[in-house]
Amino acid sequence: MKAGAGARRPPSPLTVRTIPLSQAATASSPIPTGAARRTGNLGDTVFEWACRGSGVFVLLLLGAIIIELFVAGLPAFRAFGLAFVTSTDWDPVQEVFGAGVSIYGTIVTAVLSIILAVPLAFGVAFYLTELAPAWLRRPVGTAIELLAAVPSIIYGMWGFFVIAPAFATHLQPWIIDNVGELPLIGFLFQGAPFGTGIFTAAFILAIMILPFIAATMRDVFEQVPPVYKESAYGLGATTWEVMRGVVIPYTRVSVVGGIMLGLGRALGETMAVTFVIGNANRISSSLFGPGNTIASLVALEFGESETGSLKLASLLALGFILFVLSFIVLATSRYLLRSRLKG
Amino acid sequence: MSLSLTAGAIPGPRKDPEVALALGRRRKRADRIVRILCVGATLVGLAFLASILLTLTYRGFEAMSLRVFTHVTAPPGSEGGLLNPIVGSLIQAALGTAIGTPIGMLVGTYLAEYARGSKFGNAVRFVSDILLSAPSILIGLFVYQILVLPFGGFSGWAGIAALAIIVIPVVVRTTEDMLTLIPNTLREAVIGLGSPKWKMIVFVCWKSAMSGIITGILLAVARVAGETAPLLFTSLGNNAWSVDLTKPMSSLPVTIYSFAGSPFEDWIALAWAGALLITLGVLSLNILARTVLRGRK
């Protein structure tokens, strides 16, 4: 049969025409040359350049964002030098600005939210890939993914009107009474139970990034070749042992990539954090104390800044710093997830 | 945590039956504990979603009335509605998507049809992925710098531009993913019939990937409909009725933001009504997008 099909191949001119084009579709080969090029018409040229031009546009867009933020923030970098990054002053009256507090708040809330979200996300991913009955997988998976679709402002309102009061009256007094007295870690949980603050912000962030991390973990867990898992099961391993001994070692790098993706999201989250973090420009030792993040500071103070003022430049400089932070995290995440992207 | 862990986690059989039984019980117990914890984690995740939806439904329906749709925003205590934010959000989300989608589709097509494996293509894909997850507030700052400052003020167009920039990477990703799924034999068949490549892409590849691309567009609309941060610095918000795109324009998320943070009871109630509207819209778009995609599979 196969030989017969081979014999009925089209005559050579057509073959010549097909090969370069199919290469163009599958491999890195540039525009088809020779015969194919001659038979191509104006439409091909226009269409290809429209596609290529859009690609260049996206590239330039990111470049423009970086350059624009840097140039606009330049007056602040000039006025305060490197101290801008470390200084904890933010005094609009005396025109002294420093990014220290908001950088601290950004990193602490993001890292704390990762600590809270990763175990939950792992549990969800494990449940969805190994434990859930088949009929339940899709609805539960969709519901978790819908958590990612809820707009950030809704998390902010929910956090402010539901979570913060609940924390202030129930969770935080209990933690302050029971954990606040402990040596070494107690100081993290002292102070008044405001409800809002760094901890609440991290809590809301954790819920927001949970679906991103869980979805990545689920996708990479599903890519483990069944043969590996089956051989472990065949040796008598329990589900958890298969997870720990086969699935996690196999997907470790991608799992870290998924966590970094969540971290990148958490760094730049604005509206939800603005609602619940308490917005105070100080570093408090307690996690229940108020603080701010780069994004919340920019969102709050931007409206009160005059065009061309040093304050506006400082806010844009903060934006530049945030961009650099998230760029590093997101680029790392993408690097770690590259095998998955290729697959 | 390499392959040797497998051996560590699952010890070989023991000679002593007592020890073997105890070990088996311990392994089973560990397995059961982890299972329970994982079910618990999933329930916690679902509980958050339920809590958000229940709060929104309860507080939102309480504040919902016909007035929300027929009156524009008004000072506290004077019976305002949300008409101008609703219309403003619809205009900005629709135009933002209309501008961002063609660019995103072309980029996705470039990545899938012209630049597979090329260095430049990888760079574009990387940049698009960064844009997809980059903080949206920075896109607002960027558009403020290039469209608000030079053109003398906040405007609906600036808001639309910011939303369009957010739409692009969403559409790029789904377009590329969907085009990559199309088998090459299909392309070869079209080319073999003597069609130019652009016709192959537009009439065959795009057509077969259409449901996926539509999913991407719906997801993009859902994403930008709820965006607040980029609009704060671009279209700003407008308490009067205005559909003039060169003037500041109201939008639901920004109105919710300012109303929810206010001390006035009736404004907060309106914010809940708006929050319910936007969440219902966004979630139904998401579910619709999934149904479109599933219908094809």
PDB file of all heavy atoms in Angstrom, chain A residues 31-53:
ATOM      1  N   ILE A  31      11.780  32.910   4.664  1.00  0.00           N
ATOM      2  CA  ILE A  31      10.844  32.960   3.546  1.00  0.00           C
ATOM      3  C   ILE A  31      11.280  31.981   2.466  1.00  0.00           C
ATOM      4  O   ILE A  31      12.458  31.889   2.152  1.00  0.00           O
ATOM      5  CB  ILE A  31      10.848  34.364   2.915  1.00  0.00           C
ATOM      6  CG1 ILE A  31      11.052  35.402   4.009  1.00  0.00           C
ATOM      7  CG2 ILE A  31       9.645  34.608   2.068  1.00  0.00           C
ATOM      8  CD1 ILE A  31      11.867  36.574   3.558  1.00  0.00           C
ATOM      9  N   PRO A  32      10.318  31.252   1.926  1.00  0.00           N
ATOM     10  CA  PRO A  32      10.665  30.326   0.851  1.00  0.00           C
ATOM     11  C   PRO A  32      11.253  31.084  -0.340  1.00  0.00           C
ATOM     12  O   PRO A  32      10.793  32.176  -0.680  1.00  0.00           O
ATOM     13  CB  PRO A  32       9.340  29.671   0.475  1.00  0.00           C
ATOM     14  CG  PRO A  32       8.290  30.375   1.246  1.00  0.00           C
ATOM     15  CD  PRO A  32       8.910  31.219   2.266  1.00  0.00           C
ATOM     16  N   THR A  33      12.270  30.496  -0.909  1.00  0.00           N
ATOM     17  CA  THR A  33      12.924  31.174  -2.031  1.00  0.00           C
ATOM     18  C   THR A  33      12.642  30.400  -3.315  1.00  0.00           C
ATOM     19  O   THR A  33      11.934  29.418  -3.315  1.00  0.00           O
ATOM     20  CB  THR A  33      14.440  31.231  -1.788  1.00  0.00           C
ATOM     21  OG1 THR A  33      14.843  29.930  -1.374  1.00  0.00           O
ATOM     22  CG2 THR A  33      14.776  32.242  -0.725  1.00  0.00           C
ATOM     23  N   GLY A  34      13.243  30.838  -4.398  1.00  0.00           N
ATOM     24  CA  GLY A  34      13.193  30.101  -5.662  1.00  0.00           C
ATOM     25  C   GLY A  34      11.792  30.019  -6.225  1.00  0.00           C
ATOM     26  O   GLY A  34      11.048  30.999  -6.252  1.00  0.00           O
ATOM     27  N   ALA A  35      11.419  28.807  -6.617  1.00  0.00           N
ATOM     28  CA  ALA A  35      10.162  28.598  -7.331  1.00  0.00           C
ATOM     29  C   ALA A  35       8.978  29.133  -6.533  1.00  0.00           C
ATOM     30  O   ALA A  35       8.112  29.826  -7.070  1.00  0.00           O
ATOM     31  CB  ALA A  35       9.977  27.115  -7.597  1.00  0.00           C
ATOM     32  N   ALA A  36       8.957  28.828  -5.208  1.00  0.00           N
ATOM     33  CA  ALA A  36       7.826  29.234  -4.390  1.00  0.00           C
ATOM     34  C   ALA A  36       7.726  30.751  -4.347  1.00  0.00           C
ATOM     35  O   ALA A  36       6.642  31.311  -4.359  1.00  0.00           O
ATOM     36  CB  ALA A  36       7.998  28.687  -2.996  1.00  0.00           C
ATOM     37  N   ARG A  37       8.854  31.407  -4.274  1.00  0.00           N
ATOM     38  CA  ARG A  37       8.871  32.856  -4.178  1.00  0.00           C
ATOM     39  C   ARG A  37       8.287  33.469  -5.459  1.00  0.00           C
ATOM     40  O   ARG A  37       7.537  34.428  -5.412  1.00  0.00           O
ATOM     41  CB  ARG A  37      10.325  33.316  -3.980  1.00  0.00           C
ATOM     42  CG  ARG A  37      10.432  34.750  -3.565  1.00  0.00           C
ATOM     43  CD  ARG A  37       9.936  34.880  -2.145  1.00  0.00           C
ATOM     44  NE  ARG A  37      10.085  36.248  -1.716  1.00  0.00           N
ATOM     45  CZ  ARG A  37       9.181  36.872  -0.989  1.00  0.00           C
ATOM     46  NH1 ARG A  37       8.075  36.260  -0.670  1.00  0.00           N
ATOM     47  NH2 ARG A  37       9.385  38.098  -0.595  1.00  0.00           N
ATOM     48  N   ARG A  38       8.643  32.892  -6.565  1.00  0.00           N
ATOM     49  CA  ARG A  38       8.172  33.465  -7.840  1.00  0.00           C
ATOM     50  C   ARG A  38       6.664  33.323  -7.976  1.00  0.00           C
ATOM     51  O   ARG A  38       5.997  34.218  -8.468  1.00  0.00           O
ATOM     52  CB  ARG A  38       8.872  32.770  -9.011  1.00  0.00           C
ATOM     53  CG  ARG A  38      10.219  33.384  -9.351  1.00  0.00           C
ATOM     54  CD  ARG A  38      10.656  32.987 -10.743  1.00  0.00           C
ATOM     55  NE  ARG A  38      10.767  31.544 -10.918  1.00  0.00           N
ATOM     56  CZ  ARG A  38      11.804  30.832 -10.494  1.00  0.00           C
ATOM     57  NH1 ARG A  38      12.814  31.420  -9.874  1.00  0.00           N
ATOM     58  NH2 ARG A  38      11.845  29.537 -10.685  1.00  0.00           N
ATOM     59  N   THR A  39       6.135  32.179  -7.522  1.00  0.00           N
ATOM     60  CA  THR A  39       4.704  31.984  -7.686  1.00  0.00           C
ATOM     61  C   THR A  39       3.908  32.739  -6.626  1.00  0.00           C
ATOM     62  O   THR A  39       2.722  32.916  -6.759  1.00  0.00           O
ATOM     63  CB  THR A  39       4.341  30.494  -7.606  1.00  0.00           C
ATOM     64  OG1 THR A  39       4.910  29.987  -6.403  1.00  0.00           O
ATOM     65  CG2 THR A  39       4.840  29.737  -8.790  1.00  0.00           C
ATOM     66  N   GLY A  40       4.559  33.133  -5.519  1.00  0.00           N
ATOM     67  CA  GLY A  40       3.866  33.912  -4.500  1.00  0.00           C
ATOM     68  C   GLY A  40       3.452  35.251  -5.085  1.00  0.00           C
ATOM     69  O   GLY A  40       4.002  35.716  -6.068  1.00  0.00           O
ATOM     70  N   ASN A  41       2.457  35.868  -4.453  1.00  0.00           N
ATOM     71  CA  ASN A  41       2.018  37.145  -4.996  1.00  0.00           C
ATOM     72  C   ASN A  41       2.128  38.235  -3.943  1.00  0.00           C
ATOM     73  O   ASN A  41       2.680  38.037  -2.866  1.00  0.00           O
ATOM     74  CB  ASN A  41       0.587  37.021  -5.529  1.00  0.00           C
ATOM     75  CG  ASN A  41      -0.344  36.459  -4.467  1.00  0.00           C
ATOM     76  OD1 ASN A  41      -0.021  36.531  -3.280  1.00  0.00           O
ATOM     77  ND2 ASN A  41      -1.451  35.908  -4.890  1.00  0.00           N
ATOM     78  N   LEU A  42       1.597  39.365  -4.282  1.00  0.00           N
ATOM     79  CA  LEU A  42       1.689  40.528  -3.408  1.00  0.00           C
ATOM     80  C   LEU A  42       1.101  40.230  -2.028  1.00  0.00           C
ATOM     81  O   LEU A  42       1.646  40.629  -1.005  1.00  0.00           O
ATOM     82  CB  LEU A  42       0.943  41.693  -4.060  1.00  0.00           C
ATOM     83  CG  LEU A  42       1.037  43.024  -3.322  1.00  0.00           C
ATOM     84  CD1 LEU A  42       2.462  43.553  -3.380  1.00  0.00           C
ATOM     85  CD2 LEU A  42       0.068  44.026  -3.924  1.00  0.00           C
ATOM     86  N   GLY A  43      -0.029  39.496  -2.020  1.00  0.00           N
ATOM     87  CA  GLY A  43      -0.700  39.177  -0.756  1.00  0.00           C
ATOM     88  C   GLY A  43       0.234  38.528   0.242  1.00  0.00           C
ATOM     89  O   GLY A  43       0.233  38.882   1.428  1.00  0.00           O
ATOM     90  N   ASP A  44       1.060  37.596  -0.242  1.00  0.00           N
ATOM     91  CA  ASP A  44       1.989  36.919   0.654  1.00  0.00           C
ATOM     92  C   ASP A  44       2.932  37.900   1.310  1.00  0.00           C
ATOM     93  O   ASP A  44       3.166  37.854   2.511  1.00  0.00           O
ATOM     94  CB  ASP A  44       2.793  35.873  -0.132  1.00  0.00           C
ATOM     95  CG  ASP A  44       2.172  34.497   0.027  1.00  0.00           C
ATOM     96  OD1 ASP A  44       1.258  34.381   0.858  1.00  0.00           O
ATOM     97  OD2 ASP A  44       2.601  33.580  -0.687  1.00  0.00           O
ATOM     98  N   THR A  45       3.502  38.766   0.488  1.00  0.00           N
ATOM     99  CA  THR A  45       4.468  39.728   1.011  1.00  0.00           C
ATOM    100  C   THR A  45       3.802  40.630   2.049  1.00  0.00           C
ATOM    101  O   THR A  45       4.331  40.813   3.150  1.00  0.00           O
ATOM    102  CB  THR A  45       5.019  40.602  -0.125  1.00  0.00           C
ATOM    103  OG1 THR A  45       5.140  39.794  -1.277  1.00  0.00           O
ATOM    104  CG2 THR A  45       6.331  41.215   0.249  1.00  0.00           C
ATOM    105  N   VAL A  46       2.654  41.175   1.681  1.00  0.00           N
ATOM    106  CA  VAL A  46       1.963  42.097   2.585  1.00  0.00           C
ATOM    107  C   VAL A  46       1.626  41.392   3.899  1.00  0.00           C
ATOM    108  O   VAL A  46       1.900  41.899   4.988  1.00  0.00           O
ATOM    109  CB  VAL A  46       0.676  42.641   1.928  1.00  0.00           C
ATOM    110  CG1 VAL A  46      -0.136  43.446   2.931  1.00  0.00           C
ATOM    111  CG2 VAL A  46       1.020  43.491   0.722  1.00  0.00           C
ATOM    112  N   PHE A  47       1.065  40.188   3.776  1.00  0.00           N
ATOM    113  CA  PHE A  47       0.618  39.486   4.973  1.00  0.00           C
ATOM    114  C   PHE A  47       1.788  39.143   5.880  1.00  0.00           C
ATOM    115  O   PHE A  47       1.736  39.344   7.090  1.00  0.00           O
ATOM    116  CB  PHE A  47      -0.132  38.205   4.583  1.00  0.00           C
ATOM    117  CG  PHE A  47      -0.848  37.566   5.725  1.00  0.00           C
ATOM    118  CD1 PHE A  47      -2.048  38.082   6.164  1.00  0.00           C
ATOM    119  CD2 PHE A  47      -0.310  36.471   6.383  1.00  0.00           C
ATOM    120  CE1 PHE A  47      -2.713  37.515   7.238  1.00  0.00           C
ATOM    121  CE2 PHE A  47      -0.973  35.898   7.451  1.00  0.00           C
ATOM    122  CZ  PHE A  47      -2.176  36.417   7.874  1.00  0.00           C
ATOM    123  N   GLU A  48       2.876  38.666   5.254  1.00  0.00           N
ATOM    124  CA  GLU A  48       4.010  38.300   6.090  1.00  0.00           C
ATOM    125  C   GLU A  48       4.570  39.511   6.817  1.00  0.00           C
ATOM    126  O   GLU A  48       4.916  39.452   7.992  1.00  0.00           O
ATOM    127  CB  GLU A  48       5.105  37.637   5.260  1.00  0.00           C
ATOM    128  CG  GLU A  48       6.246  37.230   6.165  1.00  0.00           C
ATOM    129  CD  GLU A  48       7.294  36.402   5.478  1.00  0.00           C
ATOM    130  OE1 GLU A  48       7.058  35.987   4.334  1.00  0.00           O
ATOM    131  OE2 GLU A  48       8.341  36.186   6.103  1.00  0.00           O
ATOM    132  N   TRP A  49       4.628  40.632   6.097  1.00  0.00           N
ATOM    133  CA  TRP A  49       5.195  41.826   6.750  1.00  0.00           C
ATOM    134  C   TRP A  49       4.256  42.389   7.795  1.00  0.00           C
ATOM    135  O   TRP A  49       4.703  42.984   8.776  1.00  0.00           O
ATOM    136  CB  TRP A  49       5.604  42.864   5.722  1.00  0.00           C
ATOM    137  CG  TRP A  49       6.933  42.477   5.154  1.00  0.00           C
ATOM    138  CD1 TRP A  49       7.172  41.885   3.955  1.00  0.00           C
ATOM    139  CD2 TRP A  49       8.202  42.583   5.817  1.00  0.00           C
ATOM    140  NE1 TRP A  49       8.511  41.611   3.819  1.00  0.00           N
ATOM    141  CE2 TRP A  49       9.172  42.029   4.937  1.00  0.00           C
ATOM    142  CE3 TRP A  49       8.624  43.072   7.057  1.00  0.00           C
ATOM    143  CZ2 TRP A  49      10.524  41.966   5.269  1.00  0.00           C
ATOM    144  CZ3 TRP A  49       9.970  43.017   7.377  1.00  0.00           C
ATOM    145  CH2 TRP A  49      10.899  42.467   6.488  1.00  0.00           C
ATOM    146  N   ALA A  50       2.960  42.203   7.602  1.00  0.00           N
ATOM    147  CA  ALA A  50       2.018  42.643   8.644  1.00  0.00           C
ATOM    148  C   ALA A  50       2.249  41.829   9.927  1.00  0.00           C
ATOM    149  O   ALA A  50       2.317  42.378  11.023  1.00  0.00           O
ATOM    150  CB  ALA A  50       0.582  42.477   8.169  1.00  0.00           C
ATOM    151  N   CYS A  51       2.420  40.499   9.739  1.00  0.00           N
ATOM    152  CA  CYS A  51       2.683  39.639  10.903  1.00  0.00           C
ATOM    153  C   CYS A  51       3.998  40.015  11.563  1.00  0.00           C
ATOM    154  O   CYS A  51       4.084  40.202  12.771  1.00  0.00           O
ATOM    155  CB  CYS A  51       2.731  38.174  10.487  1.00  0.00           C
ATOM    156  SG  CYS A  51       1.142  37.523  10.003  1.00  0.00           S
ATOM    157  N   ARG A  52       5.044  40.125  10.729  1.00  0.00           N
ATOM    158  CA  ARG A  52       6.355  40.441  11.264  1.00  0.00           C
ATOM    159  C   ARG A  52       6.352  41.803  11.945  1.00  0.00           C
ATOM    160  O   ARG A  52       6.905  41.977  13.025  1.00  0.00           O
ATOM    161  CB  ARG A  52       7.383  40.413  10.129  1.00  0.00           C
ATOM    162  CG  ARG A  52       8.801  40.536  10.594  1.00  0.00           C
ATOM    163  CD  ARG A  52       9.711  40.325   9.432  1.00  0.00           C
ATOM    164  NE  ARG A  52       9.514  38.973   8.885  1.00  0.00           N
ATOM    165  CZ  ARG A  52      10.508  38.149   8.621  1.00  0.00           C
ATOM    166  NH1 ARG A  52      11.732  38.541   8.812  1.00  0.00           N
ATOM    167  NH2 ARG A  52      10.278  36.960   8.149  1.00  0.00           N
ATOM    168  N   GLY A  53       5.682  42.760  11.286  1.00  0.00           N
ATOM    169  CA  GLY A  53       5.610  44.109  11.849  1.00  0.00           C
ATOM    170  C   GLY A  53       4.943  44.104  13.223  1.00  0.00           C
ATOM    171  O   GLY A  53       5.403  44.782  14.141  1.00  0.00           O
TER     172      GLY A  53
END
